């Protein structure tokens, strides 16, 4: 957000369009197949977010093995200068680019002097690490670690918004319906950053109904150990709504973690705990 808003401000000062350049798929997956990191946002969601920050053009470069071999100086000349005619470039101060990531902010500044554009490495955003001498640096790696640990509050603090999962509601085993807690079972994208197993308070949105406000939801992530489940699922029990969401594109925003995933001795014990989950969800989100 710091990089993007800095770029938008410089574009407006020069009266030129602001362009955000990103890659898809993630470069790591192309360079080292099987190493794709967990995805914090889908491309469509990313487009919505950057538009909200004032970006005029969202440019997605297909990352291919050929592109990964383009030297840093050649990338700047071909993509930034010849194609985009850049007036200024804003990146994070630890930014690297080009073949073997040999390009950095220093090289970008030198190339800017040669080709006539300004280059700036924005400072990394840090916050105090309570109880430790060092600071926490906000980064996608840090946020993925928070999500993976189930600390969705820390992830939201770094993101500036709740962590979101998107997906299509698909048919499950309808066990929640039998227990009086019908859930929307999300089929999420392949690399989606799914929080650690547990129960969360959050909000449920229909992506094809922009005018409908988000709904409170208790969200379960895990294998449903009470019934010896094996498939890891993301299921949302939407509060105060009796509606069939099958086949719809939805999003769940994680607000807080309620508890770990537990195995209960009986359905009655599980239902009692689910009532408590709903109560706490309502309290947290009201």
């Amino acid at each position: 957000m710091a990089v993007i808003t800095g770029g938008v401000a410089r574009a407006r000062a020069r009266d030129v369009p602001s362009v955000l350049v990103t890659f898809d798929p993630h470069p790591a997956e192309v360079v080292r197949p099987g190493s794709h990191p967990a995805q914090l946002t889908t491309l469509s969601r990313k487009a919505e977010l950057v538009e909200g920050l004032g970006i005029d053009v969202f440019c997605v470069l297909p990352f291919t093995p050929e592109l990964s071999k383009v030297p840093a100086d050649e990338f700047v000349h071909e993509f930034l200068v010849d194609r985009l005619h850049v007036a200024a470039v804003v990146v994070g101060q630890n930014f690297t680019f080009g073949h073997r990531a040999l390009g950095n902010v220093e090289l970008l500044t030198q190339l800017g002097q040669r080709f006539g554009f300004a280059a700036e490495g924005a400072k990394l955003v840090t916050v105090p690490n309570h109880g430790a001498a060092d600071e926490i640096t906000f980064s996608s790696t840090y946020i993925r670690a928070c999500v993976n640990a189930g600390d969705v509050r820390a992830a939201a603090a770094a993101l500036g918004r709740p962590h979101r999962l998107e997906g299509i509601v698909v048919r499950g085993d309808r066990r929640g319906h039998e227990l009086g807690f019908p859930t929307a079972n999300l089929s999420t994208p392949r690399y989606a950053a799914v929080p650690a197993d547990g129960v969360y308070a959050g909000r449920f949105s229909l992506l094809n109904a922009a005018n409908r406000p988000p709904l409170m939801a208790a969200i379960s992530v895990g294998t449903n150990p009470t019934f010896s489940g094996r498939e890891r699922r993301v299921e949302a029990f939407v509060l105060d709504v009796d509606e069939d969401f099958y086949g719809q594109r939805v999003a769940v925003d994680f607000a807080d973690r309620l508890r770990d995933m537990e195995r209960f001795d009986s359905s009655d014990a599980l239902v009692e705990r689910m009532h408590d989950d709903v109560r706490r969800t309502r309290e947290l989100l009201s």
Side-chain angles (χ1 to χ4, degrees):
M1 290 170 69
V3 170
I4 293 169
T5 53
V8 169
R10 281 149 189 76
R12 289 175 178 170
R14 290 170 168 81
D15 195 26
V16 295
S18 56
V19 182
L20 186 143
V21 179
T22 189
F23 301 101
D24 188 69
H26 195 286
E29 181 64 18
V30 175
V31 177
R32 298 179 300 278
S35 66
H36 197 300
Q39 187 180 49
L40 294 171
T41 53
T42 63
L43 272 181
S44 59
R45 174 64 170 162
K46 196 174 292 186
E48 293 174 6
L49 293 169
V50 300
E51 183 180 25
L53 292 171
I55 288 290
D56 296 309
V57 180
F58 183 53
C59 177
V60 183
L61 295 179
F63 198 84
T64 62
E66 292 73 27
L67 182 59
S68 72
K69 297 173 184 175
V70 175
D73 56 347
E74 187 176 323
F75 176 84
V76 168
H77 183 267
E78 180 178 349
F79 289 94
L80 301 187
V81 178
D82 283 357
R83 297 192 187 186
L84 292 180
H85 309 293
V86 294
V89 181
V90 182
V91 296
Q93 65 182 175
N94 62 347
F95 176 71
T96 59
F97 65 103
H99 184 51
R100 297 186 182 278
L102 295 178
N104 54 24
V105 175
E106 182 180 1
L107 177 61
L108 189 63
T109 302
Q110 294 172 0
L111 293 171
Q113 293 171 350
R114 182 194 307 175
F115 294 116
F117 63 84
E120 177 184 340
K123 290 183 179 180
L124 304 181
V125 178
T126 61
V127 294
N129 186 1
H130 300 294
D134 59 341
E135 293 184 313
I136 294 174
T137 300
F138 285 166
S139 67
S140 56
T141 300
Y142 167 75
I143 296 167
R144 289 188 191 102
C146 292
V147 172
N148 192 53
D151 192 348
V152 294
R153 292 183 67 182
L159 286 166
R161 64 182 184 277
H163 175 58
R164 167 174 287 198
L165 277 182
E166 298 180 1
I168 304 293
V169 178
V170 297
R171 299 235 173 233
D173 50 27
R174 296 182 62 82
R175 189 170 283 118
H177 190 275
E178 295 169 3
L179 296 174
F181 291 88
T183 59
N185 187 12
L186 272 68
S187 174
T188 56
R190 179 180 179 187
Y191 299 115
V194 179
D197 288 6
V199 179
Y200 300 82
R203 298 192 184 276
F204 180 93
S205 301
L206 294 169
L207 296 180
N208 295 330
N211 296 327
R212 187 170 180 178
L215 304 165
M216 291 187 290
I219 307 158
S220 169
V221 179
T223 58
N224 199 342
T226 299
F227 298 99
S228 301
R230 294 184 178 181
E231 181 184 351
R232 193 164 186 250
R233 295 178 176 177
V234 179
E235 300 178 83
F237 172 66
V238 184
L239 277 61
D240 307 321
V241 171
D242 182 12
E243 191 172 336
D244 188 344
F245 297 109
Y246 289 122
Q248 299 199 54
R249 287 186 63 246
V250 303
V252 289
D253 293 303
F254 293 84
D256 209 344
R257 183 181 174 92
L258 299 177
R259 61 176 174 87
D260 293 340
M261 184 59 64
E262 302 176 55
R263 179 185 178 90
F264 295 91
D265 294 332
S266 67
S267 296
D268 290 343
L270 172 59
V271 168
E272 183 178 350
R273 180 55 65 90
M274 292 168 74
H275 277 294
D276 185 59
D277 294 336
V278 169
R279 178 188 61 78
R280 292 180 62 200
T281 294
R282 198 182 302 279
E283 289 177 353
L284 283 164
L285 300 181
S286 292

